């Protein structure tokens, strides 16, 4: 007699994992190009003042707080045939196309036209399409994987490898393509198009294949979330602020974009900047151990705090290595190891934040809970770029167009070294302190969820007996 196979609810198929991570691969390519090379494109190709560019991008993020606040409220009150958060996923197409169009600008354009074009496309990429996609992300993930914490941890860990691998491909290949192709008739548009055209098609796979599980919201009537309750969360939930600070520090670090300057002016070969990503491939297998390390250390926060100590040491090694490639790569590897979980465990942070909301008698607000963190993520990327611009401007960095060759003063070279190593070391230390404080919530949230689950099971059993 044939035995019926029972589907394992914790099983994560490779196809579903790749479908979910397709959008993150595309977004990762956008971030690699925009955060690491936009400043150089604007200053060294278009001839814009580096300080003006970074102030302009920084100002564009001041609007994000209001935009993200509205989007979070909108997600919590969204109900469509496609689900609560899934409809917003299609905005990945807007991100890739806006990134591509930004690099259409030419050095011969009028100065004001270049400034307006870069500003507009940047706002569309991050403040509009980026926010519409990022704020609902946790709500989408929770529903796409049936609110199953085991599945969500697997997607975060294994999927992080996929995303990191995809970003490394772009980080490794783009500097070489940029160095070879950016001098052609189309300038930087050609190397950017090589990544953004396929990213546009790859990015929609998540929207097509990853549907929301309607059972997640079936047990309760969807209630309207008021702005008053969102403000109450900001007042009563300290952990939403801790996670926001973590995301701010992390994205300031990734948004510095100092690697291209470091390899161009310190190492002497900008094409070698791709080595940072190639060398970072050794980190991929370590991500498989993160769930085990997390279990041994007792919490995600404690694990990241411990990693942060290693990261600070790594960035100090980078600073004192100067042009020594081996030292730079080794130190950078340790620095990246420290923040690796943050890039992929955001949903786990937010699940705990939402549980604390319920512990305080508030709605769960898995859309609005991401408002502050997403704002800090977007704002942090621009703040990192601003810090780089201000440091180099104060230090006397000389901007140039594609046809000019300049020699940077010693003060600018030192500023590049500080921006590449010392600033990230400080940011990693901040992340470690915040994550250690956040770790106090994790066992409390786990106990609360277990108690609620037991109560629900008892109620279901009572109904069955009746």
């Amino acid at each position: 007699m044939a035995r019926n196979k029972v589907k394992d609810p914790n099983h994560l198929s490779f196809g579903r994992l790749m479908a979910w991570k397709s959008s993150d691969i595309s977004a990762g390519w956008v971030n690699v190009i925009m955060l690491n090379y936009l400043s150089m494109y604007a200053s060294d190709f278009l001839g814009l003042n580096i300080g003006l560019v970074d102030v302009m991008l920084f100002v564009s993020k001041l609007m994000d707080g209001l935009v993200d606040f509205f989007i979070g409220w909108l997600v919590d009150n969204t109900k469509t045939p496609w689900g609560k958060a899934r409809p917003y996923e299609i905005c990945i197409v807007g991100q890739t196309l806006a990134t591509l169009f930004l690099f259409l600008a030419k050095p011969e354009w009028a100065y004001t036209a270049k400034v307006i074009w870069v500003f507009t496309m940047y706002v569309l990429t991050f403040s509009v399409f980026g926010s519409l996609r990022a704020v609902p992300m946790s709500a989408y993930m929770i529903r796409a994987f049936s609110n199953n914490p085991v599945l969500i941890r697997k997607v975060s860990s294994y999927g992080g490898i996929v995303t990191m691998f995809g970003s490394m491909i772009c980080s490794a290949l783009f500097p070489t393509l940029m160095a070879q192709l950016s001098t052609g008739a189309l300038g930087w548009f050609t190397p950017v198009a090589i990544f953004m055209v396929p990213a546009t098609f790859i990015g929609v796979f998540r929207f097509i294949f990853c549907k929301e599980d309607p059972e997640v919201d079936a047990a309760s009537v969807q209630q309207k979330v008021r702005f008053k309750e969102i403000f109450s969360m900001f007042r009563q939930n300290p952990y939403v602020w801790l996670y926001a600070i973590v995301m701010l520090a992390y994205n300031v670090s990734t948004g510095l974009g100092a690697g291209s300057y470091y390899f161009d002016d310190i190492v002497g070969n900008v094409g070698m900047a791709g080595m940072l990503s190639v060398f970072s491939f050794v980190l991929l297998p370590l991500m498989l151990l993160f769930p085990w390390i997390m279990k041994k250390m007792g919490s995600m926060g404690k694990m990241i705090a411990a990693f942060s100590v290693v990261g600070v040491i790594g960035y100090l090694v980078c600073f004192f290595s100067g042009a020594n490639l081996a030292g730079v790569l080794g130190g950078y590897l340790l620095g990246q190891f420290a923040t690796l979980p943050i890039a992929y465990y955001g949903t786990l942070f937010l699940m705990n934040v939402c549980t604390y909301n319920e512990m305080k008698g508030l709605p769960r607000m898995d859309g609005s809970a991401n408002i502050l963190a997403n704002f800090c993520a977007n704002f942090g990327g621009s703040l990192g770029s601003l810090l780089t611009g201000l440091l180099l401007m104060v230090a006397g960095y000389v901007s140039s167009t594609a046809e000019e060759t300049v020699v940077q003063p010693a003060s600018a070279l030192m500023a590049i070294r500080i921006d590449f190593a010392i600033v990230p070391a400080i940011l990693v230390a901040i992340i470690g302190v915040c994550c250690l404080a956040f770790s106090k919530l994790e066992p409390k949230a786990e106990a609360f969820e277990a108690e609620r689950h037991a109560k629900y099971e008892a109620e279901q059993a009572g109904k069955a007996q009746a």
Side-chain angles (χ1 to χ4, degrees), residues 166-183:
S167 295
M168 284 180 176
I169 291 175
C170 184
S171 296
L173 297 180
F174 186 79
T176 302
L177 292 173
M178 181 269 292
Q180 295 177 352
L181 303 176
S182 64
T183 56

Side-chain angles (χ1 to χ4, degrees), residues 245-256:
I245 294 172
V246 168
M247 293 306 295
L248 177 66
Y250 171 73
N251 283 277
V252 169
S253 178
T254 59
L256 290 170

Side-chain angles (χ1 to χ4, degrees), residues 265 396-398 405-410 412-413:
D265 296 303
Y397 184 86
V398 181
T405 300
V406 300
V407 177
Q408 300 296 341
L413 298 179

Side-chain angles (χ1 to χ4, degrees), residues 338-359:
T339 57
L340 196 56
I342 299 172
Y344 309 109
Y345 282 173
T347 299
L348 296 180
F349 275 102
L350 286 167
M351 287 177 70
N352 284 287
V353 169
C354 293
T355 298
Y356 189 80
N357 283 340
E358 293 183 303
M359 291 167 66

Side-chain angles (χ1 to χ4, degrees), residues 37-326:
Y37 296 97
L38 175 58
S39 183
M40 174 176 281
Y41 166 75
S43 64
D44 290 7
F45 182 78
L46 297 180
L48 300 180
N49 180 277
I50 189 170
L52 171 63
V53 172
D54 291 316
V55 169
M56 175 183 66
L57 300 183
F58 176 78
V59 170
S60 74
K61 291 306 176 184
L62 296 180
M63 68 181 71
D64 280 3
L66 179 60
V67 172
D68 290 350
F69 187 93
F70 174 75
I71 294 173
W73 169 83
L74 185 64
V75 172
D76 278 330
N77 293 289
T78 295
K79 188 175 183 180
T80 74
W82 288 344
K84 175 188 283 287
R86 184 184 173 209
Y88 302 99
E89 176 59 33
I90 200 65
C91 290
I92 184 63
V93 175
Q95 277 195 284
T96 57
L97 293 181
T99 299
L100 178 61
F101 293 153
L102 187 151
F103 289 89
L104 275 172
K106 302 292 180 59
E108 58 268 22
W109 287 12
Y111 196 90
T112 302
K114 290 185 287 188
V115 171
I116 294 175
W117 183 263
V118 171
F119 177 79
T120 301
M121 291 299 114
Y122 186 87
V123 167
L124 287 174
T125 299
F126 290 110
S127 302
V128 179
F129 295 118
S131 291
L132 281 169
R133 175 183 174 273
V135 172
M137 187 64 61
S138 294
Y140 186 13
M141 189 176 190
I142 289 169
R143 287 160 178 78
F145 295 97
S146 304
N147 199 24
N148 185 327
V150 176
L151 276 178
I152 291 174
R153 289 190 185 98
K154 287 183 178 180
V155 174
S156 299
S157 297
Y158 306 150
I161 297 176
V162 176
T163 305
M164 185 177 180
F165 184 80
S167 295
M168 284 180 176
I169 291 175
C170 184
S171 296
L173 297 180
F174 186 79
T176 302
L177 292 173
M178 181 269 292
Q180 295 177 352
L181 303 176
S182 64
T183 56
L186 295 178
W188 283 56
F189 182 81
T190 300
V192 172
I194 290 175
F195 284 94
M196 288 301 102
V197 171
T200 303
F201 292 99
I202 293 173
V204 299
F205 290 167
R206 175 188 288 178
F207 174 79
I208 295 173
F209 297 110
C210 296
K211 299 180 180 180
E212 292 187 9
D213 182 0
E215 293 298 320
V216 173
D217 294 314
S220 60
V221 178
Q222 184 176 351
Q223 298 179 347
K224 293 289 184 180
V225 173
R226 299 167 298 177
F227 289 118
K228 177 182 177 180
E229 291 162 332
I230 298 175
F231 285 117
S232 294
M233 175 182 65
F234 293 153
R235 291 195 306 268
Q236 300 179 40
N237 192 337
Y239 297 100
V240 75
W241 290 96
L242 283 174
Y243 177 49
I245 294 172
V246 168
M247 293 306 295
L248 177 66
Y250 171 73
N251 283 277
V252 169
S253 178
T254 59
L256 290 170
S260 54
Y261 290 103
Y262 193 93
F263 277 80
D264 189 26
D265 296 303
I266 305 299
V267 177
N269 185 351
V270 69
M272 291 291 290
M275 286 293 294
L276 294 176
S277 296
V278 173
F279 201 66
S280 296
F281 269 93
V282 299
L283 293 176
L284 290 177
L286 294 178
M287 293 189 66
L288 296 174
L289 300 177
F290 284 175
W292 177 81
I293 297 174
M294 195 184 309
K295 183 178 180 180
K296 288 293 184 181
M297 300 196 71
S299 74
M300 174 180 60
K302 290 181 180 179
M303 179 183 74
I304 298 176
F307 286 3
S308 297
V309 176
V310 177
V312 171
I313 295 173
Y315 281 120
L316 291 177
V317 170
C318 281
F319 178 78
F320 289 108
S321 294
N324 184 292
L325 188 59

